[in-house]
Amino acid sequence: MAAHHIPIRPARTTALVQLAQDLPPAVLAPMLGLHVITAQQWRRRAATDWSAYLEARRTGTPG
């Protein structure tokens, strides 16, 4: 991919976020050769906070 000037970092980041959403850090870390703390950081980064969306749905106000 690098020979064709296709950036791989965005794809790598997307893949890591998806894995972090699906797997606990204790599984993700050894599978990818990451430190457990690094896997926990990816897990936090992948976390989705739906509270603003749910509040907007409840009150009917946008944003």
Side-chain angles (χ1 to χ4, degrees):
M1 293 178 73
H4 298 287
H5 306 286
I6 298 172
I8 60 171
R9 179 145 322 244
R12 179 182 179 272
T13 300
T14 301
L16 276 168
V17 168
Q18 183 63 46
L19 283 171
Q21 287 175 340
D22 296 339
L23 299 172
V27 174
L28 184 64
M31 186 172 80
L32 298 179
L34 300 173
H35 192 278
V36 175
I37 293 174
T38 303
Q40 289 172 342
Q41 291 169 342
W42 278 105
R43 178 69 173 190
R44 278 194 298 274
R45 183 176 185 178
T48 304
D49 182 9
W50 290 92
S51 60
Y53 169 78
L54 293 174
E55 181 63 21
R57 293 281 304 204
R58 187 182 70 76
T59 61
T61 57

